[in-house]
PDB file of all heavy atoms in Angstrom:
ATOM      1  N   LEU A1392     -25.718  17.027  -3.213  1.00 83.00           N
ATOM      2  CA  LEU A1392     -27.087  16.708  -3.629  1.00 83.00           C
ATOM      3  C   LEU A1392     -27.782  17.954  -4.184  1.00 83.00           C
ATOM      4  O   LEU A1392     -28.475  17.892  -5.209  1.00 83.00           O
ATOM      5  CB  LEU A1392     -27.878  16.159  -2.437  1.00 83.00           C
ATOM      6  CG  LEU A1392     -27.446  14.777  -1.915  1.00 83.00           C
ATOM      7  CD1 LEU A1392     -28.221  14.425  -0.651  1.00 83.00           C
ATOM      8  CD2 LEU A1392     -27.663  13.717  -2.983  1.00 83.00           C
ATOM      9  N   ARG A1393     -27.587  19.096  -3.527  1.00 80.00           N
ATOM     10  CA  ARG A1393     -28.189  20.338  -4.002  1.00 80.00           C
ATOM     11  C   ARG A1393     -27.633  20.717  -5.383  1.00 80.00           C
ATOM     12  O   ARG A1393     -28.373  21.152  -6.272  1.00 80.00           O
ATOM     13  CB  ARG A1393     -27.928  21.463  -3.012  1.00 80.00           C
ATOM     14  CG  ARG A1393     -28.483  22.814  -3.474  1.00 80.00           C
ATOM     15  CD  ARG A1393     -28.127  23.924  -2.500  1.00 80.00           C
ATOM     16  NE  ARG A1393     -28.823  23.741  -1.229  1.00 80.00           N
ATOM     17  CZ  ARG A1393     -28.580  24.470  -0.143  1.00 80.00           C
ATOM     18  NH1 ARG A1393     -27.641  25.402  -0.170  1.00 80.00           N
ATOM     19  NH2 ARG A1393     -29.266  24.269   0.966  1.00 80.00           N
ATOM     20  N   HIS A1394     -26.332  20.526  -5.560  1.00 77.00           N
ATOM     21  CA  HIS A1394     -25.708  20.858  -6.846  1.00 77.00           C
ATOM     22  C   HIS A1394     -26.311  20.016  -7.976  1.00 77.00           C
ATOM     23  O   HIS A1394     -26.641  20.539  -9.057  1.00 77.00           O
ATOM     24  CB  HIS A1394     -24.199  20.622  -6.770  1.00 77.00           C
ATOM     25  CG  HIS A1394     -23.499  20.774  -8.082  1.00 77.00           C
ATOM     26  ND1 HIS A1394     -23.173  22.006  -8.614  1.00 77.00           N
ATOM     27  CD2 HIS A1394     -23.085  19.850  -8.984  1.00 77.00           C
ATOM     28  CE1 HIS A1394     -22.581  21.835  -9.776  1.00 77.00           C
ATOM     29  NE2 HIS A1394     -22.513  20.535 -10.020  1.00 77.00           N
ATOM     30  N   LEU A1395     -26.470  18.711  -7.732  1.00 82.00           N
ATOM     31  CA  LEU A1395     -27.027  17.841  -8.763  1.00 82.00           C
ATOM     32  C   LEU A1395     -28.471  18.233  -9.105  1.00 82.00           C
ATOM     33  O   LEU A1395     -28.879  18.222 -10.275  1.00 82.00           O
ATOM     34  CB  LEU A1395     -26.981  16.380  -8.297  1.00 82.00           C
ATOM     35  CG  LEU A1395     -25.594  15.725  -8.292  1.00 82.00           C
ATOM     36  CD1 LEU A1395     -25.663  14.358  -7.632  1.00 82.00           C
ATOM     37  CD2 LEU A1395     -25.060  15.588  -9.712  1.00 82.00           C
ATOM     38  N   ARG A1396     -29.238  18.588  -8.083  1.00 84.00           N
ATOM     39  CA  ARG A1396     -30.643  18.972  -8.328  1.00 84.00           C
ATOM     40  C   ARG A1396     -30.721  20.249  -9.154  1.00 84.00           C
ATOM     41  O   ARG A1396     -31.476  20.317 -10.146  1.00 84.00           O
ATOM     42  CB  ARG A1396     -31.368  19.155  -6.988  1.00 84.00           C
ATOM     43  CG  ARG A1396     -32.829  19.591  -7.142  1.00 84.00           C
ATOM     44  CD  ARG A1396     -33.559  19.593  -5.821  1.00 84.00           C
ATOM     45  NE  ARG A1396     -32.982  20.477  -4.819  1.00 84.00           N
ATOM     46  CZ  ARG A1396     -33.163  21.799  -4.806  1.00 84.00           C
ATOM     47  NH1 ARG A1396     -33.893  22.396  -5.751  1.00 84.00           N
ATOM     48  NH2 ARG A1396     -32.612  22.532  -3.865  1.00 84.00           N
ATOM     49  N   LYS A1397     -29.955  21.257  -8.772  1.00 80.00           N
ATOM     50  CA  LYS A1397     -30.011  22.527  -9.495  1.00 80.00           C
ATOM     51  C   LYS A1397     -29.419  22.406 -10.891  1.00 80.00           C
ATOM     52  O   LYS A1397     -29.868  23.070 -11.827  1.00 80.00           O
ATOM     53  CB  LYS A1397     -29.276  23.600  -8.694  1.00 80.00           C
ATOM     54  CG  LYS A1397     -30.004  23.978  -7.406  1.00 80.00           C
ATOM     55  CD  LYS A1397     -29.391  25.203  -6.757  1.00 80.00           C
ATOM     56  CE  LYS A1397     -30.227  25.656  -5.561  1.00 80.00           C
ATOM     57  NZ  LYS A1397     -29.720  26.895  -4.942  1.00 80.00           N
ATOM     58  N   GLU A1398     -28.434  21.549 -11.045  1.00 79.00           N
ATOM     59  CA  GLU A1398     -27.829  21.337 -12.362  1.00 79.00           C
ATOM     60  C   GLU A1398     -28.856  20.784 -13.343  1.00 79.00           C
ATOM     61  O   GLU A1398     -28.803  21.058 -14.550  1.00 79.00           O
ATOM     62  CB  GLU A1398     -26.651  20.365 -12.221  1.00 79.00           C
ATOM     63  CG  GLU A1398     -25.814  20.203 -13.479  1.00 79.00           C
ATOM     64  CD  GLU A1398     -24.670  19.243 -13.271  1.00 79.00           C
ATOM     65  OE1 GLU A1398     -24.941  18.072 -12.900  1.00 79.00           O
ATOM     66  OE2 GLU A1398     -23.510  19.644 -13.451  1.00 79.00           O
ATOM     67  N   ARG A1399     -29.842  20.031 -12.816  1.00 84.00           N
ATOM     68  CA  ARG A1399     -30.868  19.439 -13.669  1.00 84.00           C
ATOM     69  C   ARG A1399     -32.155  20.265 -13.696  1.00 84.00           C
ATOM     70  O   ARG A1399     -33.156  19.857 -14.279  1.00 84.00           O
ATOM     71  CB  ARG A1399     -31.153  18.010 -13.184  1.00 84.00           C
ATOM     72  CG  ARG A1399     -30.019  17.039 -13.541  1.00 84.00           C
ATOM     73  CD  ARG A1399     -29.970  15.841 -12.617  1.00 84.00           C
ATOM     74  NE  ARG A1399     -28.942  14.885 -13.027  1.00 84.00           N
ATOM     75  CZ  ARG A1399     -27.637  15.055 -12.850  1.00 84.00           C
ATOM     76  NH1 ARG A1399     -27.200  16.160 -12.271  1.00 84.00           N
ATOM     77  NH2 ARG A1399     -26.777  14.139 -13.252  1.00 84.00           N
ATOM     78  N   GLY A1400     -32.131  21.410 -13.007  1.00 85.00           N
ATOM     79  CA  GLY A1400     -33.281  22.317 -13.044  1.00 85.00           C
ATOM     80  C   GLY A1400     -34.509  21.779 -12.353  1.00 85.00           C
ATOM     81  O   GLY A1400     -35.642  22.074 -12.775  1.00 85.00           O
ATOM     82  N   LEU A1401     -34.321  21.009 -11.281  1.00 87.00           N
ATOM     83  CA  LEU A1401     -35.449  20.408 -10.569  1.00 87.00           C
ATOM     84  C   LEU A1401     -35.693  21.118  -9.247  1.00 87.00           C
ATOM     85  O   LEU A1401     -34.763  21.671  -8.641  1.00 87.00           O
ATOM     86  CB  LEU A1401     -35.162  18.918 -10.303  1.00 87.00           C
ATOM     87  CG  LEU A1401     -34.953  18.035 -11.548  1.00 87.00           C
ATOM     88  CD1 LEU A1401     -34.485  16.646 -11.131  1.00 87.00           C
ATOM     89  CD2 LEU A1401     -36.240  17.961 -12.356  1.00 87.00           C
ATOM     90  N   THR A1402     -36.940  21.110  -8.782  1.00 87.00           N
ATOM     91  CA  THR A1402     -37.282  21.692  -7.480  1.00 87.00           C
ATOM     92  C   THR A1402     -37.212  20.614  -6.407  1.00 87.00           C
ATOM     93  O   THR A1402     -37.194  19.402  -6.708  1.00 87.00           O
ATOM     94  CB  THR A1402     -38.699  22.283  -7.493  1.00 87.00           C
ATOM     95  OG1 THR A1402     -39.645  21.208  -7.671  1.00 87.00           O
ATOM     96  CG2 THR A1402     -38.853  23.300  -8.616  1.00 87.00           C
ATOM     97  N   LEU A1403     -37.231  21.064  -5.161  1.00 86.00           N
ATOM     98  CA  LEU A1403     -37.243  20.121  -4.049  1.00 86.00           C
ATOM     99  C   LEU A1403     -38.447  19.190  -4.138  1.00 86.00           C
ATOM    100  O   LEU A1403     -38.333  17.972  -3.951  1.00 86.00           O
ATOM    101  CB  LEU A1403     -37.292  20.881  -2.720  1.00 86.00           C
ATOM    102  CG  LEU A1403     -35.978  21.286  -2.050  1.00 86.00           C
ATOM    103  CD1 LEU A1403     -36.258  22.176  -0.845  1.00 86.00           C
ATOM    104  CD2 LEU A1403     -35.200  20.048  -1.610  1.00 86.00           C
ATOM    105  N   ALA A1404     -39.608  19.785  -4.421  1.00 88.00           N
ATOM    106  CA  ALA A1404     -40.842  18.995  -4.469  1.00 88.00           C
ATOM    107  C   ALA A1404     -40.774  17.936  -5.559  1.00 88.00           C
ATOM    108  O   ALA A1404     -41.200  16.789  -5.360  1.00 88.00           O
ATOM    109  CB  ALA A1404     -42.035  19.914  -4.688  1.00 88.00           C
ATOM    110  N   GLN A1405     -40.242  18.292  -6.755  1.00 90.00           N
ATOM    111  CA  GLN A1405     -40.167  17.336  -7.856  1.00 90.00           C
ATOM    112  C   GLN A1405     -39.266  16.148  -7.510  1.00 90.00           C
ATOM    113  O   GLN A1405     -39.614  14.995  -7.758  1.00 90.00           O
ATOM    114  CB  GLN A1405     -39.645  18.045  -9.112  1.00 90.00           C
ATOM    115  CG  GLN A1405     -40.627  19.024  -9.725  1.00 90.00           C
ATOM    116  CD  GLN A1405     -39.990  19.845 -10.834  1.00 90.00           C
ATOM    117  OE1 GLN A1405     -38.802  20.172 -10.796  1.00 90.00           O
ATOM    118  NE2 GLN A1405     -40.801  20.199 -11.841  1.00 90.00           N
ATOM    119  N   VAL A1406     -38.095  16.439  -6.942  1.00 87.00           N
ATOM    120  CA  VAL A1406     -37.158  15.361  -6.605  1.00 87.00           C
ATOM    121  C   VAL A1406     -37.707  14.505  -5.463  1.00 87.00           C
ATOM    122  O   VAL A1406     -37.620  13.276  -5.504  1.00 87.00           O
ATOM    123  CB  VAL A1406     -35.775  15.948  -6.235  1.00 87.00           C
ATOM    124  CG1 VAL A1406     -34.848  14.844  -5.731  1.00 87.00           C
ATOM    125  CG2 VAL A1406     -35.165  16.663  -7.422  1.00 87.00           C
ATOM    126  N   ALA A1407     -38.286  15.179  -4.467  1.00 87.00           N
ATOM    127  CA  ALA A1407     -38.810  14.438  -3.324  1.00 87.00           C
ATOM    128  C   ALA A1407     -39.900  13.470  -3.755  1.00 87.00           C
ATOM    129  O   ALA A1407     -39.931  12.309  -3.320  1.00 87.00           O
ATOM    130  CB  ALA A1407     -39.349  15.414  -2.275  1.00 87.00           C
ATOM    131  N   GLU A1408     -40.791  13.938  -4.628  1.00 88.00           N
ATOM    132  CA  GLU A1408     -41.879  13.072  -5.089  1.00 88.00           C
ATOM    133  C   GLU A1408     -41.335  11.889  -5.883  1.00 88.00           C
ATOM    134  O   GLU A1408     -41.752  10.746  -5.698  1.00 88.00           O
ATOM    135  CB  GLU A1408     -42.850  13.875  -5.954  1.00 88.00           C
ATOM    136  CG  GLU A1408     -44.047  13.046  -6.420  1.00 88.00           C
ATOM    137  CD  GLU A1408     -45.038  13.872  -7.228  1.00 88.00           C
ATOM    138  OE1 GLU A1408     -44.786  15.078  -7.406  1.00 88.00           O
ATOM    139  OE2 GLU A1408     -46.037  13.301  -7.674  1.00 88.00           O
ATOM    140  N   ALA A1409     -40.372  12.151  -6.779  1.00 89.00           N
ATOM    141  CA  ALA A1409     -39.819  11.086  -7.610  1.00 89.00           C
ATOM    142  C   ALA A1409     -39.037  10.060  -6.781  1.00 89.00           C
ATOM    143  O   ALA A1409     -39.002   8.872  -7.118  1.00 89.00           O
ATOM    144  CB  ALA A1409     -38.906  11.689  -8.680  1.00 89.00           C
ATOM    145  N   ALA A1410     -38.425  10.516  -5.680  1.00 87.00           N
ATOM    146  CA  ALA A1410     -37.607   9.613  -4.862  1.00 87.00           C
ATOM    147  C   ALA A1410     -38.394   8.997  -3.714  1.00 87.00           C
ATOM    148  O   ALA A1410     -37.851   8.190  -2.960  1.00 87.00           O
ATOM    149  CB  ALA A1410     -36.399  10.365  -4.319  1.00 87.00           C
ATOM    150  N   LEU A1412     -39.660  10.655  -1.095  1.00 87.00           N
ATOM    151  CA  LEU A1412     -39.267  11.292   0.155  1.00 87.00           C
ATOM    152  C   LEU A1412     -40.134  12.517   0.400  1.00 87.00           C
ATOM    153  O   LEU A1412     -40.702  13.074  -0.535  1.00 87.00           O
ATOM    154  CB  LEU A1412     -37.791  11.738   0.106  1.00 87.00           C
ATOM    155  CG  LEU A1412     -36.728  10.665  -0.142  1.00 87.00           C
ATOM    156  CD1 LEU A1412     -35.369  11.326  -0.361  1.00 87.00           C
ATOM    157  CD2 LEU A1412     -36.656   9.711   1.042  1.00 87.00           C
ATOM    158  N   ALA A1413     -40.210  12.947   1.639  1.00 86.00           N
ATOM    159  CA  ALA A1413     -40.891  14.205   1.949  1.00 86.00           C
ATOM    160  C   ALA A1413     -39.963  15.357   1.576  1.00 86.00           C
ATOM    161  O   ALA A1413     -38.746  15.257   1.697  1.00 86.00           O
ATOM    162  CB  ALA A1413     -41.235  14.271   3.430  1.00 86.00           C
ATOM    163  N   SER A1414     -40.561  16.476   1.115  1.00 84.00           N
ATOM    164  CA  SER A1414     -39.746  17.641   0.752  1.00 84.00           C
ATOM    165  C   SER A1414     -38.909  18.117   1.937  1.00 84.00           C
ATOM    166  O   SER A1414     -37.743  18.513   1.786  1.00 84.00           O
ATOM    167  CB  SER A1414     -40.636  18.781   0.258  1.00 84.00           C
ATOM    168  OG  SER A1414     -41.291  18.428  -0.943  1.00 84.00           O
ATOM    169  N   SER A1415     -39.500  18.087   3.135  1.00 84.00           N
ATOM    170  CA  SER A1415     -38.768  18.518   4.327  1.00 84.00           C
ATOM    171  C   SER A1415     -37.585  17.594   4.605  1.00 84.00           C
ATOM    172  O   SER A1415     -36.519  18.022   5.055  1.00 84.00           O
ATOM    173  CB  SER A1415     -39.696  18.540   5.532  1.00 84.00           C
ATOM    174  OG  SER A1415     -40.268  17.253   5.760  1.00 84.00           O
ATOM    175  N   LEU A1417     -35.865  15.882   2.295  1.00 84.00           N
ATOM    176  CA  LEU A1417     -34.825  16.189   1.318  1.00 84.00           C
ATOM    177  C   LEU A1417     -34.115  17.485   1.661  1.00 84.00           C
ATOM    178  O   LEU A1417     -32.899  17.607   1.511  1.00 84.00           O
ATOM    179  CB  LEU A1417     -35.434  16.270  -0.087  1.00 84.00           C
ATOM    180  CG  LEU A1417     -34.456  16.577  -1.232  1.00 84.00           C
ATOM    181  CD1 LEU A1417     -33.326  15.547  -1.275  1.00 84.00           C
ATOM    182  CD2 LEU A1417     -35.194  16.615  -2.570  1.00 84.00           C
ATOM    183  N   SER A1418     -34.882  18.468   2.160  1.00 83.00           N
ATOM    184  CA  SER A1418     -34.277  19.741   2.551  1.00 83.00           C
ATOM    185  C   SER A1418     -33.264  19.543   3.679  1.00 83.00           C
ATOM    186  O   SER A1418     -32.181  20.145   3.668  1.00 83.00           O
ATOM    187  CB  SER A1418     -35.374  20.719   2.989  1.00 83.00           C
ATOM    188  OG  SER A1418     -34.810  21.939   3.434  1.00 83.00           O
ATOM    189  N   GLU A1421     -30.121  18.078   2.183  1.00 79.00           N
ATOM    190  CA  GLU A1421     -29.324  19.051   1.429  1.00 79.00           C
ATOM    191  C   GLU A1421     -28.662  20.074   2.341  1.00 79.00           C
ATOM    192  O   GLU A1421     -27.615  20.636   1.980  1.00 79.00           O
ATOM    193  CB  GLU A1421     -30.204  19.767   0.403  1.00 79.00           C
ATOM    194  CG  GLU A1421     -30.619  18.880  -0.750  1.00 79.00           C
ATOM    195  CD  GLU A1421     -31.243  19.662  -1.899  1.00 79.00           C
ATOM    196  OE1 GLU A1421     -31.469  20.889  -1.738  1.00 79.00           O
ATOM    197  OE2 GLU A1421     -31.482  19.048  -2.955  1.00 79.00           O
ATOM    198  N   LEU A1435     -32.182   8.723  -4.924  1.00 87.00           N
ATOM    199  CA  LEU A1435     -31.816  10.031  -5.483  1.00 87.00           C
ATOM    200  C   LEU A1435     -30.912   9.869  -6.693  1.00 87.00           C
ATOM    201  O   LEU A1435     -31.043  10.597  -7.683  1.00 87.00           O
ATOM    202  CB  LEU A1435     -31.128  10.877  -4.409  1.00 87.00           C
ATOM    203  CG  LEU A1435     -32.032  11.356  -3.269  1.00 87.00           C
ATOM    204  CD1 LEU A1435     -31.199  11.960  -2.146  1.00 87.00           C
ATOM    205  CD2 LEU A1435     -33.045  12.382  -3.785  1.00 87.00           C
ATOM    206  N   VAL A1438     -33.059   9.127  -9.624  1.00 87.00           N
ATOM    207  CA  VAL A1438     -33.770  10.320 -10.102  1.00 87.00           C
ATOM    208  C   VAL A1438     -32.838  11.181 -10.952  1.00 87.00           C
ATOM    209  O   VAL A1438     -33.239  11.719 -11.994  1.00 87.00           O
ATOM    210  CB  VAL A1438     -34.321  11.135  -8.915  1.00 87.00           C
ATOM    211  CG1 VAL A1438     -34.897  12.465  -9.403  1.00 87.00           C
ATOM    212  CG2 VAL A1438     -35.389  10.338  -8.177  1.00 87.00           C
ATOM    213  N   TYR A1439     -31.586  11.334 -10.523  1.00 85.00           N
ATOM    214  CA  TYR A1439     -30.649  12.187 -11.231  1.00 85.00           C
ATOM    215  C   TYR A1439     -29.949  11.479 -12.391  1.00 85.00           C
ATOM    216  O   TYR A1439     -29.147  12.088 -13.110  1.00 85.00           O
ATOM    217  CB  TYR A1439     -29.579  12.710 -10.257  1.00 85.00           C
ATOM    218  CG  TYR A1439     -30.134  13.600  -9.163  1.00 85.00           C
ATOM    219  CD1 TYR A1439     -29.674  13.498  -7.858  1.00 85.00           C
ATOM    220  CD2 TYR A1439     -31.127  14.539  -9.437  1.00 85.00           C
ATOM    221  CE1 TYR A1439     -30.186  14.305  -6.843  1.00 85.00           C
ATOM    222  CE2 TYR A1439     -31.642  15.349  -8.433  1.00 85.00           C
ATOM    223  CZ  TYR A1439     -31.167  15.220  -7.149  1.00 85.00           C
ATOM    224  OH  TYR A1439     -31.673  16.028  -6.159  1.00 85.00           O
TER     225      TYR A1439
END
Side-chain angles (χ1 to χ4, degrees):
L1392 292 174
R1393 178 184 292 172
H1394 173 79
L1395 287 172
R1396 179 173 60 78
K1397 291 190 174 184
E1398 188 180 58
R1399 286 156 176 75
L1401 299 172
T1402 65
L1403 271 173
Q1405 290 171 327
V1406 174
E1408 183 177 0
L1412 301 172
S1414 295
S1415 58
L1417 180 57
S1418 177
E1421 289 192 353
L1435 290 170
V1438 173
Y1439 296 139

